[in-house]
Amino acid sequence: MPQDAPQSPNHSGTQLVSDSMGVRPIANTERRDRMADIVFVHGLNGGSHRSWTHGKPGEPNAFSWPARLGRNLPPCDVWTVGYAAGITEFGNPGMAIGERGLNVGDQLRLVGVGTERPVVFVAHSMGGPVVKALIDDSVGMGSAVSL
């Protein structure tokens, strides 16, 4: 996956960035008075940003759903999660969904998501089972994550 590219505003001021691995802040993450964490989790063959955007940076109609949501809900922070979600080859199974959920949960906790505020997940395709595994793990371990 490519590294983060410089952010490019479109005509509406929405910031669009390239796909990246890990947890990425999109909007309002520096506010101390946040009321909830909103996390976008892409699906199979998706990406942390391209799954949630329309158009390319610099195009007049480019649009990022996470960025727009952040502008419309300033008391909530917005994050995206990037992870390897391609189709695996025979003999090379990759990370199981349960393990992926554990991994994503650990990454979210490292940046403080879900530790002090409720979490709202927006998941697409394989992102749903990943989030389910994350929740199952958090509940089973008695995690401090507010779900």
Side-chain angles (χ1 to χ4, degrees):
M1 280 261 171
Q3 296 296 317
D4 281 346
Q7 296 185 348
S8 304
N10 65 14
H11 74 287
S12 64
T14 299
Q15 297 294 312
L16 303 172
V17 295
S18 297
D19 287 326
S20 57
M21 301 293 274
V23 178
R24 297 288 175 237
I26 300 298
N28 310 323
T29 59
E30 299 301 318
R31 292 179 58 137
R32 295 192 184 276
D33 62 341
R34 299 185 310 263
M35 296 174 61
D37 300 316
I38 302 173
V39 181
F40 285 77
V41 184
H42 67 82
L44 189 63
N45 288 330
S48 60
H49 298 286
R50 77 176 178 270
S51 291
W52 312 109
T53 59
H54 170 75
K56 295 180 182 172
E59 290 181 351
N61 292 322
F63 177 83
S64 167
W65 188 26
R68 180 68 58 93
L69 187 63
R71 281 202 322 271
N72 291 341
L73 295 173
C76 300
D77 58 356
V78 181
W79 305 81
T80 62
V81 176
Y83 60 94
I87 298 172
T88 59
E89 297 177 18
F90 183 71
N92 185 13
M95 189 179 286
I97 289 177
E99 291 176 32
R100 179 65 64 198
L102 275 168
N103 182 271
V104 168
D106 288 344
Q107 290 180 49
L108 291 171
R109 282 185 281 277
L110 283 174
V111 297
V113 171
T115 58
E116 299 174 19
R117 295 165 295 281
V119 180
V120 176
F121 289 103
V122 179
H124 175 258
S125 176
M126 190 173 92
V130 169
V131 169
K132 182 183 181 310
L134 178 160
I135 291 170
D136 287 348
D137 175 62
S138 295
V139 170
M141 293 179 60
S143 172
V145 175
S146 298
L147 300 171

